Amino acid sequence: MQAPSSELSKAQLLEALCHSQTRARQAEEAAKKAYNEKEHMITHFLKQASQLFAYKQWFHILQMETSLRNSKCQPIYTRFPDFVPWIPIKGKQQKKGQHKPAKTEPSSPRYKIGKSFGSILLGLTLAGAGLLLGWTLGWLFR
């Protein structure tokens, strides 16, 4: 008597197992699809951000070119103090209590260290700009 009921329960268990495996496969496919969609969105977002940065830089360059063509007698660092912040603008007065640092002699070790530090800083800046430009162009032409 118990044989037909145990066979029936085994058949029900096998059918339930088959349905659960089907649902698991469907869930796995949905997860893969969501992951691929997320990766596509991230790639698209980074591409758009790099293009926006490139256009912004291009806009600044065009502004500087226009300004240079309109007035040729004024130095560029007086018209664009944001791009060259380390050069003091004439007519700008120092605050009280501030004094100018003493000039160092070209033969002194302090001058040589400052000069070598400036050279290293310039090199690192150019390398960073090159990497940024390469990365931006890589995203643009990808």
Side-chain angles (χ1 to χ4, degrees):
M1 276 193 196
Q2 292 182 359
S5 95
S6 67
E7 287 178 13
L8 182 62
S9 66
K10 284 182 184 177
Q12 288 174 340
L13 285 174
L14 285 175
E15 187 177 338
L17 179 64
C18 182
H19 286 303
S20 78
Q21 286 178 340
T22 303
R23 285 192 300 269
R25 273 189 237 108
Q26 289 173 347
E28 188 177 321
E29 287 173 6
K32 281 182 185 178
K33 184 178 176 183
Y35 178 77
N36 289 337
E37 223 173 89
K38 181 190 83 158
E39 288 296 315
H40 175 71
M41 291 301 291
I42 289 172
T43 304
H44 186 67
F45 176 75
L46 289 175
K47 185 177 179 181
Q48 290 292 318
S50 63
Q51 285 178 345
L52 181 65
F53 178 74
Y55 287 136
K56 185 178 176 183
Q57 295 299 321
W58 189 25
F59 180 71
H60 282 291
I61 290 171
L62 290 174
Q63 276 184 324
M64 287 190 337
E65 284 180 0
T66 304
S67 179
L68 285 173
R69 288 183 183 169
N70 289 342
S71 61
K72 293 185 178 187
C73 59
Q74 197 177 20
I76 190 166
Y77 59 85
T78 59
R79 284 177 287 175
F80 298 102
D82 295 336
F83 291 110
V84 191
W86 58 86
I87 297 178
I89 299 173
K90 290 181 181 179
K92 183 179 178 184
Q93 301 212 352
Q94 291 183 341
K95 295 179 183 176
K96 270 189 171 178
Q98 286 184 343
H99 61 281
K100 291 184 180 178
K103 297 271 183 172
T104 55
E105 297 294 322
S107 61
S108 72
R110 187 174 175 192
Y111 178 80
K112 291 177 183 176
I113 290 172
K115 190 172 182 183
S116 62
F117 179 74
S119 300
I120 290 170
L121 190 62
L122 177 66
L124 289 175
T125 303
L126 291 174
L131 285 172
L132 181 67
L133 181 65
W135 181 75
T136 304
L137 290 176
W139 277 104
L140 287 174
F141 297 119
R142 188 171 179 205

